[in-house]
Amino acid sequence: MSESDFRCGSYVRSRIHALLGSDPGHLRPAARAALALLRQASTHEPGTDPSVWPYTAEAIPSDMSETRYRRVEQAIHIALTQFAVHQQARSGSMHDSRQSFGRAVRKLADTQAGTGEPQETPVYQRFTAMAQTSSVTALVTHSRGIITQLRTHEIPFDYGRYADDLYLFQIPGRAREIQRRWGRDFHRLSSTESVRHHEGATQS
C-alpha cells in the first residue's frame, strides 16, 4: 500500500476485526493478550510502547512524511487503545460501523438523563469540553472518560471513523470541522426519535 492510499480508519477496522474474530465473546488467547497490552498503553505517549507496535504500527507505509506519520501514529494509537478499554469484559463488539461517536454519546446522555434533558448530564459536560479543546492531550483526557461510561452501558461506535477524525483533528484548521460534526451527530435525531421527542414535549 502506498502512502497516498493509506487511511487510518481502514487500518483500525482491520485490526479490530483481526483481534475480535467472528465471536468477540470467545477471544483467542493471543487476542486477549493483545487487548490487554493495548489497554495498558492507553495512557502512554503514541509510539513509545514497543509492546503494541505490532498492532499500532505494523504495515504503515514508510514513505510518509514525518509530519503525516506522526499524525497517523497518534490517531491509530488513540483509537486502538481506547477501543481496547471499551471492549474489556464485553461479549459483543464495541466497534459498530453504523454508529458515529456523536450518536453513541447521545445514546449515553439519553440513558443518563432519564426523563430529564440530555444536555444536563455529566457526559454532555465532558462532550462539550472535548468539543472546545484544540489540544490532542486534552481531547484524549475527555474522550477517555466518555469511553469508560460507554463501556459501562455497552454502547458501541465506529472506531474506524473515529480514527479518521483523530487524524484530521491534528491538521491545522480542521479541528473545528471535526468537533462540529460530533456536535451535529449528537443533536441530530432520527425520524422515530424526533416523533418521540415532540410527543414528550407536547405531553409535558
Side-chain angles (χ1 to χ4, degrees):
M1 179 185 295
S2 69
E3 185 269 349
S4 60
D5 294 330
F6 184 83
R7 296 293 181 273
C8 293
S10 298
Y11 182 97
V12 165
R13 289 188 188 100
S14 68
R15 289 300 185 197
I16 289 174
H17 291 319
L19 286 167
L20 298 188
S22 60
D23 187 358
H26 296 85
L27 298 175
R28 294 170 291 108
R32 283 199 299 272
L35 287 167
L37 289 173
L38 287 165
R39 282 194 298 274
Q40 292 167 13
S42 64
T43 57
H44 299 172
E45 186 71 21
T48 63
D49 189 338
S51 69
V52 297
W53 288 348
Y55 316 106
T56 61
E58 184 74 21
I60 296 177
S62 59
D63 58 346
M64 289 184 183
S65 67
E66 178 61 27
T67 298
R68 186 176 183 207
Y69 191 96
R70 191 163 56 248
R71 290 171 182 157
V72 165
E73 183 178 58
Q74 284 239 94
I76 290 172
H77 176 93
I78 294 166
L80 284 178
T81 58
Q82 290 190 342
F83 168 76
V85 170
H86 198 166
Q87 187 64 40
Q88 185 178 18
R90 294 293 170 254
S91 58
S93 176
M94 293 297 100
H95 164 69
D96 183 349
S97 60
R98 298 165 299 178
Q99 180 156 266
S100 69
F101 176 67
R103 291 303 300 154
V105 177
R106 176 56 184 260
K107 283 190 176 181
L108 176 58
D110 285 341
T111 299
Q112 290 183 346
T115 57
E117 292 296 326
Q119 291 83 358
E120 297 172 353
T121 60
V123 71
Y124 186 72
Q125 302 308 311
R126 276 193 178 274
F127 186 65
T128 53
M130 186 176 172
Q132 293 170 347
T133 185
S134 58
S135 159
V136 174
T137 301
L139 182 143
V140 169
T141 298
H142 294 306
S143 64
R144 187 182 295 130
I146 291 172
I147 284 165
T148 299
Q149 295 176 68
L150 290 171
R151 175 186 171 275
T152 298
H153 292 277
E154 299 190 52
I155 300 172
F157 66 88
D158 186 348
Y159 273 88
R161 182 174 173 184
Y162 183 58
D164 284 334
D165 287 346
L166 291 169
Y167 173 79
L168 293 173
F169 181 89
Q170 300 172 70
I171 298 175
R174 301 294 298 273
R176 294 304 179 206
E177 168 194 337
I178 301 306
Q179 290 163 323
R180 280 195 299 271
R181 175 146 41 85
W182 288 342
R184 287 169 181 164
D185 285 349
F186 180 96
H187 290 284
R188 184 182 296 121
L189 299 177
S190 68
S191 56
T192 302
E193 290 168 327
S194 295
V195 170
R196 189 166 60 245
H197 183 79
H198 176 72
E199 288 176 346
T202 302
Q203 293 168 7
S204 62

